[in-house]
Amino acid sequence: MTELSSAYTIRILPIDCLPKFHFLDLFQKMLKTFLCLRIKEVEVKKDTEDINKPKKFMTFKEKRKTLSRMQRKWKKAEEKLERELLEAEASESTERKLKLHTETLNIVFVTYFRILKKAQRSPLLPSVLEGLAKFAHLINVEFFDDLLVVLHTLIESGDLSYRESLHCVQTAFHILSGQGDVLNIDPMKFYTHLYKTLFKLHAGATNEGVEILLQCLDVMLTKRRKQVSQQRALAFIKRLCTLALHVLPNSSIGILATNRILMQTFPKTDLLLDNESQGSGVFLPELDEPEYCNAQNTALWELHALRRHYHPVVQRFAAHLIAGAPSEGSEALKPELSRRSAAELFETYSMAAMTFNPPVKSSSSKRKSEVLQGDSFLNEDLNQLIKRHCSEVATHLPLDFTKYLKTSLR
């Protein structure tokens, strides 16, 4: 026993020698676990409806026709027992599920609101904004006004990254598209913020933010089509086409797919495809107000540049939009492109793996042989030209130098 204790001694290190643990990283990961919660009010209602749906039992006439007296007696006792079990299971499961979901959401929202109120410059804020964007449809209506004010204050502060500001916009419109429809709240300041900051996206580090942008545009313009004016839709379509020129191909595809949906949702925006249309005022591309930039007086010339893009899917979308986004005909999209959402197309044609999608077709062997033959002909003509030129020059040079040229050209 003494030998073991002497062989295995425990060494206690001072606190300064221990590795430093980043508690903020731990807290961020803890907050991100909230995103894995599958709590949706609609699904809970569907479950309760399915559970509470009464089971169909045999009528007395059916029993008398098909069953004997003893069988009817056993059937009656069996059905009574089944009714009692169903009532017990239904009441217990629905009550437990609703109670558990309510308690869980209360804890989640208390955590989020506490960080928003007391630690707005904390590195935990991105996880909070992402969580609010996911569970915004479950927030109580009483908190809508205060929450929208906080989100707008965060955007105006300038302390957020572009991705975080997109999460703020996404949360605000998720709130307004659900129970917030009954409230008299004008979200124009969020439209203006997104419109004036679109050009912060590019083919570099902010390219991944395009996915959140596509989700924001779907909630802001497509799902709120009745609250969106034609001028606002025209301005966004024009600026999105300009943005599609300087982002990666998957982002361009997602943006053009969004413009396709907007042009079908707002049919009068096809005037942007007409070069001869006239209106009052001059288009002001540098103005940050989508309602007053006179977008009706411009045209989507960017589509002609995108039609010459090196990516075939971008070319296809540009040609489709130039034709007016038809649903039939030669310029209509294939089902694998038309039935997918903009976010799905962004993921499908992602270049994160540093590969071309679709892959580049290799040239045929016949084409390669033609190229090689052409190169050989060029090399022969070039060698003959050099030899002839050297022979002409050699007549005017000494004999020793001419011998040197001949030996070097062999």
Side-chain angles (χ1 to χ4, degrees):
M1 191 71 181
T2 54
E3 292 179 359
L4 288 174
S5 60
S6 61
Y8 298 96
T9 56
I10 299 175
R11 185 180 177 187
I12 301 176
L13 296 175
I15 296 177
D16 297 337
C17 298
L18 294 175
K20 293 183 178 179
F21 190 80
H22 296 283
F23 288 98
L24 286 176
D25 295 339
L26 175 62
F27 295 151
Q28 286 179 352
K29 293 178 180 178
M30 289 174 62
L31 286 176
K32 287 185 178 180
T33 58
F34 292 161
L35 300 176
C36 301
L37 293 172
R38 297 181 180 179
I39 300 177
K40 294 182 179 180
E41 191 177 356
V42 177
E43 291 183 359
V44 174
K45 286 183 179 179
K46 286 182 180 178
D47 292 340
T48 56
E49 288 173 1
D50 294 337
I51 291 171
N52 293 329
K53 188 176 180 180
K55 185 179 178 180
K56 186 177 180 181
F57 295 102
M58 295 178 67
T59 62
F60 180 75
K61 291 183 179 180
E62 291 174 349
K63 292 177 184 178
R64 192 161 187 174
K65 287 180 180 180
T66 58
L67 302 176
S68 64
R69 184 175 181 182
M70 185 62 67
Q71 288 176 340
R72 290 199 300 269
K73 188 175 181 180
W74 281 102
K75 191 69 177 178
K76 185 176 180 180
E78 184 181 353
E79 288 178 354
K80 183 179 179 181
L81 181 61
E82 286 182 1
R83 286 192 184 97
E84 292 177 355
L85 290 173
L86 286 174
E87 290 176 2
E89 289 178 1
S91 60
E92 183 181 1
S93 60
T94 52
E95 288 177 3
R96 286 180 60 188
K97 186 180 290 186
L98 287 173
K99 185 177 180 181
L100 180 61
H101 286 184
T102 305
E103 292 177 355
T104 306
L105 275 179
N106 286 338
I107 295 171
V108 171
F109 286 140
V110 165
T111 306
Y112 286 163
F113 294 157
R114 188 173 295 173
I115 295 174
L116 279 177
K117 184 177 180 180
K118 298 184 178 180
Q120 293 186 357
R121 296 186 179 182
S122 170
L124 304 176
L125 192 60
S127 301
V128 172
L129 295 174
E130 191 174 355
L132 285 174
K134 181 176 181 179
F135 300 114
H137 62 286
L138 300 173
I139 300 175
N140 196 338
V141 183
E142 298 175 357
F143 302 109
F144 282 0
D145 289 332
D146 296 334
L147 187 55
L148 289 175
V149 171
V150 171
L151 292 175
H152 184 256
T153 305
L154 286 172
I155 292 175
E156 293 296 324
S157 65
D159 297 331
L160 302 180
S161 64
Y162 189 70
R163 188 182 182 90
E164 294 167 3
S165 65
L166 286 178
H167 278 306
C168 286
V169 175
Q170 187 180 11
T171 303
F173 280 95
H174 273 301
I175 291 173
L176 295 175
S177 61
Q179 303 175 25
D181 285 336
V182 298
L183 301 177
N184 188 17
I185 298 176
D186 184 16
M188 188 59 199
K189 49 192 175 184
F190 293 102
Y191 282 104
T192 303
H193 169 75
L194 186 66
Y195 181 79
K196 71 181 181 182
T197 57
L198 277 178
F199 290 147
K200 289 186 177 181
L201 295 168
H202 50 74
T206 60
N207 185 73
E208 294 302 320
V210 176
E211 184 177 8
I212 308 174
L213 170 67
L214 298 176
Q215 297 172 2
C216 291
L217 292 171
D218 180 55
V219 179
M220 296 168 63
L221 300 174
T222 308
K223 294 182 178 178
R224 292 177 59 87
R225 59 177 69 91
K226 294 182 180 180
Q227 289 85 7
V228 177
S229 64
Q230 182 181 350
Q231 293 293 331
R232 195 180 307 174
L234 289 169
F236 270 97
I237 290 174
K238 173 61 178 178
R239 184 155 288 197
L240 286 173
C241 279
T242 308
L243 176 63
L245 292 173
H246 53 269
V247 289
L248 291 181
N250 62 326
S251 300
S252 297
I253 294 169
I255 290 170
L256 293 178
T258 300
N259 273 352
R260 172 179 174 270
I261 296 172
L262 292 178
M263 292 177 70
Q264 292 176 347
T265 306
F266 303 95
K268 294 183 179 180
T269 55
D270 60 352
L271 60 88
L272 293 174
L273 302 174
D274 187 6
N275 295 331
E276 297 180 357
S277 62
Q278 295 180 356
S280 59
V282 180
F283 175 56
L284 304 173
E286 72 282 356
L287 191 66
D288 293 335
E289 294 291 339
E291 296 285 347
Y292 308 106
C293 65
N294 298 323
Q296 73 277 4
N297 298 320
T298 185
L300 299 179
W301 57 264
E302 297 90 351
L303 294 177
H304 294 277
L306 291 169
R307 198 174 185 179
R308 299 175 178 85
H309 200 277
Y310 70 88
H311 200 283
V313 182
V314 178
Q315 295 178 10
R316 185 62 187 159
F317 264 100
H320 174 70
L321 292 180
I322 289 173
S327 58
E328 298 178 351
S330 59
E331 295 299 335
L333 293 178
K334 295 181 180 179
E336 59 266 20
L337 296 177
S338 61
R339 294 178 182 177
R340 292 181 178 179
S341 64
E344 290 175 349
L345 290 170
F346 175 84
E347 285 292 331
T348 302
Y349 294 98
S350 175
M351 302 180 68
M354 299 301 290
T355 57
F356 287 102
N357 185 13
V360 179
K361 295 181 180 180
S362 60
S363 57
S364 62
S365 58
K366 182 179 179 181
R367 178 63 181 168
K368 288 182 179 179
S369 62
E370 291 177 356
V371 172
L372 292 174
Q373 290 177 3
D375 290 343
S376 62
F377 289 142
L378 288 174
N379 290 332
E380 291 177 1
D381 295 340
L382 185 60
N383 289 332
Q384 291 178 2
L385 181 62
I386 293 173
K387 287 181 179 180
R388 187 178 65 183
H389 181 69
C390 290
S391 62
E392 292 176 357
V393 174
T395 56
H396 303 285
L397 294 176
L399 184 62
D400 296 336
F401 188 70
T402 57
K403 290 181 179 181
Y404 170 74
L405 287 176
K406 288 179 180 179
T407 54
S408 63
L409 289 173
R410 288 175 186 174

